[in-house]
Amino acid sequence: MSPGSGRALAPLLLLLALLQCAARRRAVVKRSVPDVCATCHVHATCHQIEGKSVCICNYGFVGNGRTHCQDKDECQIGASKICGNHTLCHNTHGSFYCVCLDGYRASNNNKTFIPNDGTNCTDIDECEESGLCGHNAKCVNTEGSYECYCNDGYKLENGERSFHPDGNTVSCREIGCGSPPEMKHGYVVGNYSLLPGSAVHYECKEGFYSNEGKFSYCTANETWEPATLSCKGVDCGVPPSVLNAHPASVSGTTYGSEVTYNCVHGYFMASGNQTAVCNARGQWDGTDLVCKEIDCGKPLLIPHTEMTWDNSTTLRSRVYYQCKEGYYFNGGRNFSECTIDQSWENITFICKEEELFSNLSIFNETCVKWERKTGRLGAQKTYTFRILGQRWDEKTFSEDVIFNITTNKDNPKVCLDLDSGSNYVVNITTISSANIPVSVTVAVQTKVKEAFNNVLIFNDTCLKWQRNVRGTDVEDRYSFHVQGQRWYQKEFFHEMIFDLTTHKQAPEVCFDLQPGTNYSVNISMAALNFSLLVSMTTQITDPPFPDVEFVAVTGSAPLLRLRKAEDQNGPISFYQVIVLPLDLQSTFICDSFAAANFFSNTTDVKGYVAAEFRAKDVADNMPISLGDRHYYGKFYNAPLKLGEEYCVFLRVISEWNKVRTQSCAIWAQIKNLAPTPQYMTAIGLGSVVAVCLILFLTFSAARSYLHNTVSSPPAALACEAVYLSATMDTTQMGITSSFLETENVSLL
């Protein structure tokens, strides 16, 4: 395609682009435009572009125009591009300026320029280009000589205005104020320059404010002017009041502080937040709590009640209930309160139908009492009594009595004039509040007065009593039914049934009862239709003698086997193994040797209890080893002394109903107790170890003296050989120690 044809197509392409843009604009959905201009940054300007409001950062600033516009560093583009050739670019807040390099000057003859007016840097005469003055300096001709001056933006470190190079190194450093000062509770906004005349912009941090100067300037003497900015924390002041609420807690009034509200008594939180927060603008956010008065509404109705109520439904309002006529209050509270959760309390108030005869009972043999539950205190009620009586032993005896009583008591009591030894039927009738007859019938059986008087138990198995009714010429027949059981022997049961006929005024009877048993004795008189139950408990007696297989040995301790005893005369509680010197065998008393421990400090006790076993832990034919150094119960099975002679007793102990009995049997005799081969092996091994230790210590002393560590000493080798031999002998024996060892504690 030729250049001419390309130029011909350009207008056509431009027309197509314009049509496309117009189509896109028509496709945009119309919608409401927010107030964008009000959100523009302080360094931005609002512009109208294609009918839209747009925030654009001012010249010298870059950003989105709304949340931030920061200083644009034009010098980053490059001095050769923005300032031109042979220039230096210096950035300032919101702008920049250019200076010419050494050997060049601005065409407008100014030290600085902005390249928007055609200014450029041109070459100066050869004296300025010679480089005689060094870096960052320029040369100025004088009459017959020249002077060196630092370029703009630079100065001599020695403070002089000019210098003449004489071979010494002289440098011109860049003028600048250094880092700007830090501001308490403040921060630097955007970029800044260090050159004199530059400014640093400060703003307060969130939650702080300042009405004073926010800029600090770099002065000609290269120091920052102190900024007058003083950031103060915002203070929201006293928390606002909320209707029907009060502040429960306030953490402060500065930025970020919180206040929590609670509804006042009788109100509840209907909506909103309980907590308000102090914001950065010094205002309390979130004070929208709404508290409404508690309202429980109409209370619930309870069946068979009448309600007393002042029509109040607020907190702590009460409604009272009472039973209607014909019903009575059955306990609980008779009122309900409006609670904080806007509901009436659940109550246990119940009205029951009236009970004219409740909890009727007979007392003192001939008296009747009952409860009258009507709900109407003090109301009188009439009761009709009809009494019918008979006797078993007198067929001709008969009674039929009718009478009325009127009472207003809630717990009436009536005592009847009844004969002893008779059976009565008592019918009581009254009229309810609904005019309906209500009746109750009870049977009353009177006892024969003093049929059994002063019943006593004596000698554990005998009873006696007083008989003062019919006289000495009349005999009475008594039937006895005796049953005995034991809690510790479930299969045990003892029963006796017999009769006794006597005319004595103070009869006595003794029973053949078993020891350690609980008995119930039922005594009845058929003639008087009367019976009496007496409980008796017999004490335990000595348990059966231990079943042992007597063992007599010489030289070693035997292995004993324990056989269980039967619970014949009481429950077997413990088994004790007792060790005595052989010469005290004949003086041993079973019940006098209570519980002497091997470590007891009682000097007059020559023996001790080596072991105690609870009966429930004993298995029949259980093996027992004397002197195994173990504790059985609270007793120590101490090792037996060599060369001593011992006798061993087994004691069986019964404990029941605060009574303790025991039986003993001699179990074993041990004479001339000698050390075992295992014990002798252990003694020999200990001697060998002692000899080896002495040889080793002797060798160590000699080696330390001679400082000779070349070879192992013969004594040490001999010790090792003896030790290995002794170890092998002990291993072959299979036992390293014996129960028959000496104990460094004397027997008591």
Side-chain angles (χ1 to χ4, degrees), residues 529-552:
N529 191 28
F530 178 78
S531 63
L532 176 69
L533 183 65
V534 179
S535 296
M536 304 176 67
T537 300
T538 58
Q539 300 296 334
I540 61 174
T541 58
D542 292 343
F545 283 100
D547 182 12
V548 298
E549 182 178 351
F550 176 75
V551 178

Side-chain angles (χ1 to χ4, degrees), residues 353-424:
E353 192 170 1
E354 66 178 359
E355 298 178 12
L356 299 178
F357 294 101
S358 176
N359 296 329
L360 186 143
S361 63
I362 300 172
F363 68 100
N364 292 343
E365 192 176 1
T366 62
C367 299
V368 181
K369 63 181 178 179
W370 66 95
E371 292 183 44
R372 187 168 67 99
K373 299 178 180 179
T374 63
R376 290 171 290 131
L377 299 177
Q380 287 193 339
K381 182 69 65 173
T382 300
Y383 294 88
T384 300
F385 285 76
R386 182 176 183 183
I387 303 173
L388 298 175
Q390 288 182 333
R391 284 183 180 173
W392 286 32
D393 56 344
E394 295 184 28
K395 303 299 183 181
T396 59
F397 176 83
S398 177
E399 290 186 17
D400 189 350
V401 179
I402 299 176
F403 63 92
N404 296 329
I405 66 166
T406 300
T407 179
N408 60 359
K409 295 181 180 180
D410 290 335
N411 297 282
K413 297 178 182 178
V414 177
C415 289
L416 308 174
D417 184 15
L418 305 179
D419 291 329
S420 65
S422 302
N423 295 325
Y424 290 91

